[in-house]
Amino acid sequence: MPIIVGLLVALVFVVGWIEYLTGFEISVSFLYFIPIIISTWVAGRSLGNMVALASAGVWLGADLLTGHAYGHWFVPLWNTLMLAGSFLVVVALLASLREANEGLEQTVARRNQSLQAENAQRRQVEEELRHSLDDVRQTHAELQRTQVQLIESAKMESLGRLATGVAHEMKNPLMTLSLGTDYFLLRKTENQEEARLVQDMKEAVHRASNVINVLLDYARPRPLQRTSEDIHSVIENSLTLVRHQLTKQHVTVVREFDTIPPPLSLDRTRIEQVFVNLFLNALQAMPPGGTLTVRTFTSHLSGSDSDAPAGVIVEVDDTGHGIMPQDADKLFEPFFTTKAPGQGTGLGLAIVRRIMEIHGGSIRLSNRNQGGARATLQFNIEPKDQQ
Amino acid sequence: MSTQRILVVDDEPSVTRNLKLTLETSGGYEVFTENDAGNALAAARASLPDLILLDVIMPGLDGGDVASKLRADPLLRDTPIIFLTALVSNKETDGHEMLTGTNTFLAKPVDIGELKKTVGEHIRR
């Protein structure tokens, strides 16, 4: 600030000097407005007044130095006073303009500030709304899941009651038929046709009874008896159970096993039932032989940086005819079968899915790009009973 | 050696009739039958069987109730019981102390070979 004041005062003296040299040209006197305007605009009314008075003083000094002859001593003083008055009026006008401008800037700044505050508040409200919306969506999704589970559980409960009723009402007549056929079988008739007929009846009873047992198993699964198991050992045991059919159909087994999968909490017998069902389906899809590949790998928690394993994925691949597009949606439906009558109950895959579900896992069937079908089983490390 | 006696309790007459026929002709047992679970205790007291084949689900008293009454009778307390069940699941036996534990179950429809084998193993000598 002192530098600016010094420069302005110097400017005033420069103007005075020019005026002295030019012999008081009226146009030069206007040059005093430069330091006055600058000082008023930059520093305000006080400095403006000071520079205005200094300019009038310098003007008087320069006038006296040039030695103008005036009629009366009062004339130069009057001129100076008039000049000082006009300088002060300019300062007053300019200062008012400057103050009005500052006031306007302050108002704009205040408005800006309040607008920014309002914006921030609105953003916060928007954020809160977004959170609430997310919460509502999440709750809605959970409700839908619960609703599906409730419907499913009510469905299974009524199916369980139906299966129990059917079992009770069907097995007594079957028992009578079975005892009757056994009686005739024990009598050992000489007539081959009669013997064949009774044998067929015995097999029919067995088949009907088996369908009811499988239906009961599907509709009213026994409570799981979980133990900690090595999935590879469960797979190997299941392969042993179908070894005879594998050899008979010239099917090669390829194992692509994970190095050390985490142990899983599962009902070994039920999961062996899952694998045997899947292996038998694969075998039935490859009558001329082929390759059965069993692959395992550990899945990790998605979206997590940690390497904590979440579960184990098992893929069962065959090189058969694959899944027909028209069958894809019906594969897990109870009593849906593509096999010849008497070759299957149509409950195999329904039971497989049910067992996976009550273990808290899942199963998916798809066609492989290379041909053949793939069953993908997902097992969770944390047991989640869904029954 | 006197003929061993079996009492069959089942509400289905065709089942009791055919079990009687089969066990008598192919097993050499003397078979008594009862279709009313309410009369089972009286029938057992009258025949004093060496083994009882007992259906689980019957109208009125069920197999568990009948077994409890039989176990409470001093003359029948040690008579072996084989339960015949239409259900493969053990859930049917829930809540019945007499039906749980070491009792023997045969699932209907019973194969005659399996029935004769199980009866042979359990019948009081």
Side-chain angles (χ1 to χ4, degrees):
Chain A
M1 195 60 164
I3 296 170
I4 293 171
V5 174
L7 284 172
L8 288 168
V9 172
L11 192 57
V12 171
F13 277 99
V14 168
V15 174
W17 185 59
I18 294 170
E19 196 157 40
Y20 169 71
L21 290 179
T22 54
F24 266 78
E25 277 292 323
I26 188 74
S27 58
V28 174
S29 298
F30 285 112
L31 289 175
Y32 287 109
F33 283 110
I34 296 171
I36 291 167
I37 289 169
I38 292 174
S39 58
T40 310
W41 196 253
V42 171
R45 195 183 290 268
S46 318
L47 189 67
N49 286 339
M50 210 177 78
V51 174
L53 294 174
S55 299
V58 169
W59 182 87
L60 181 63
D63 190 36
L64 293 176
L65 278 175
T66 49
H68 272 131
Y70 291 105
H72 195 277
W73 63 268
F74 183 71
V75 174
L77 188 63
W78 172 251
N79 285 344
T80 306
L81 284 173
M82 287 302 290
L83 201 63
S86 55
F87 284 169
L88 288 172
V89 167
V90 168
V91 168
L93 286 172
L94 201 60
S96 300
L97 196 65
R98 182 178 181 269
E99 278 157 15
N101 188 43
E102 274 178 357
L104 198 64
E105 276 177 3
Q106 273 171 6
T107 311
V108 169
R110 268 201 305 277
R111 291 264 166 85
N112 265 345
Q113 216 169 3
S114 86
L115 269 177
Q116 275 172 354
E118 271 175 28
N119 271 344
Q121 212 173 355
R122 203 173 54 227
R123 269 198 298 273
Q124 199 180 344
V125 172
E126 272 175 12
E127 193 65 22
E128 279 167 13
L129 268 175
R130 236 194 316 273
H131 278 303
S132 305
L133 192 65
D134 285 348
D135 285 350
V136 168
R137 280 195 185 129
Q138 211 173 338
T139 313
H140 186 239
E142 271 170 30
L143 267 174
Q144 273 183 325
R145 270 199 299 277
T146 314
Q147 193 185 21
V148 168
Q149 274 175 4
L150 276 173
I151 292 170
E152 188 64 21
S153 120
K155 210 167 73 184
M156 288 315 293
E157 203 184 313
S158 67
L159 186 61
R161 275 201 299 275
L162 180 72
T164 308
V166 166
H168 183 244
E169 292 306 317
M170 295 300 292
K171 289 229 180 157
N172 277 330
L174 284 176
M175 172 97 172
T176 305
L177 287 173
S178 173
L179 289 169
T181 49
D182 279 339
Y183 178 78
F184 283 114
L185 278 173
L186 289 168
R187 284 182 61 182
K188 295 198 186 354
T189 173
E190 292 300 316
N191 185 327
Q192 289 302 307
E193 279 186 1
E194 264 181 32
R196 181 61 203 259
L197 177 70
V198 179
Q199 188 59 44
D200 284 350
M201 283 164 68
K202 175 84 183 161
E203 277 166 23
V205 168
H206 182 73
R207 223 172 86 190
S209 171
N210 191 40
V211 170
I212 294 168
N213 287 345
V214 175
L215 179 66
L216 267 178
D217 201 24
Y218 172 70
R220 271 191 4 176
R222 296 185 299 276
L224 294 182
Q225 295 183 332
R226 287 183 185 268
T227 43
S228 181
E229 296 288 349
D230 168 21
I231 192 73
H232 292 164
S233 153
V234 180
I235 295 169
E236 286 300 347
N237 206 43
S238 311
L239 282 168
T240 311
L241 292 171
V242 295
R243 192 176 51 199
H244 175 67
Q245 286 98 316
L246 287 166
T247 317
K248 200 170 135 195
Q249 275 183 239
H250 308 290
V251 168
T252 314
V253 177
V254 176
R255 296 167 179 81
E256 293 178 10
F257 285 176
D258 198 1
T259 338
I260 311 165
L264 297 172
S265 167
L266 44 86
D267 186 323
R268 189 180 175 109
T269 314
R270 307 311 301 274
I271 297 301
E272 278 179 3
Q273 193 183 351
V274 166
F275 283 121
V276 167
N277 266 326
L278 292 177
F279 295 159
L280 289 177
N281 275 354
L283 277 162
Q284 273 154 355
M286 304 184 282
T291 307
L292 176 74
T293 307
V294 188
R295 193 176 299 108
T296 64
F297 48 91
T298 307
S299 63
H300 293 270
L301 291 167
S302 59
S304 148
D305 293 336
S306 70
D307 287 325
V312 173
I313 309 274
V314 183
E315 288 176 349
V316 178
D317 291 357
D318 65 46
T319 53
H321 47 64
I323 301 159
M324 300 295 129
Q326 68 271 23
D327 297 340
D329 295 338
K330 296 179 246 161
L331 292 170
F332 292 109
E333 279 179 18
F335 298 110
F336 173 78
T337 182
T338 55
K339 294 168 193 162
Q343 295 298 303
T345 58
L347 279 167
L349 281 176
I351 286 179
V352 162
R353 186 165 73 170
R354 182 96 182 105
I355 294 173
M356 289 308 291
E357 280 173 355
I358 60 178
H359 273 85
S362 63
I363 176 167
R364 197 158 40 84
L365 295 174
S366 54
N367 277 326
R368 299 163 61 228
N369 292 336
Q370 307 89 325
R374 166 174 295 168
T376 309
L377 302 164
Q378 158 85 48
F379 294 93
N380 294 319
I381 286 184
E382 289 296 322
K384 283 184 271 181
D385 280 7
Q386 303 288 316
Q387 46 189 346
Chain B
M1 194 179 90
S2 64
T3 310
Q4 288 172 308
R5 284 176 295 199
I6 296 175
L7 172 66
V8 181
V9 182
D10 195 308
D11 60 309
E12 187 83 24
S14 64
V15 170
T16 50
R17 203 165 46 234
N18 283 295
L19 273 173
K20 180 177 165 69
L21 176 68
T22 313
L23 286 168
E24 283 186 345
T25 51
S26 69
Y29 301 104
E30 186 181 0
V31 179
F32 302 88
T33 62
E34 179 55 59
N35 297 122
D36 184 350
N39 292 335
L41 183 65
R45 276 188 185 148
S47 56
L48 291 178
D50 300 293
L51 183 135
I52 298 169
L53 285 174
L54 183 54
D55 187 22
V56 176
I57 298 179
M58 290 181 285
L61 295 178
D62 66 17
D65 300 327
V66 174
S68 304
K69 286 177 183 290
L70 292 169
R71 289 284 172 262
D73 190 294
L75 288 174
L76 301 162
R77 178 186 302 145
D78 300 321
T79 309
I81 299 173
I82 296 174
F83 290 98
L84 301 174
T85 172
L87 306 179
V88 287
S89 165
N90 284 340
K91 275 190 177 176
E92 193 185 1
T93 68
D94 287 354
H96 266 299
E97 207 180 310
M98 297 306 295
L99 294 179
T100 54
T102 54
N103 288 307
T104 306
F105 288 87
L106 282 178
K108 287 180 177 181
V110 179
D111 177 78
I112 193 67
E114 194 189 352
L115 175 69
K116 278 161 65 183
K117 184 169 166 281
T118 314
V119 166
E121 284 167 3
H122 288 79
I123 200 157
R124 201 160 54 184
R125 301 285 171 198

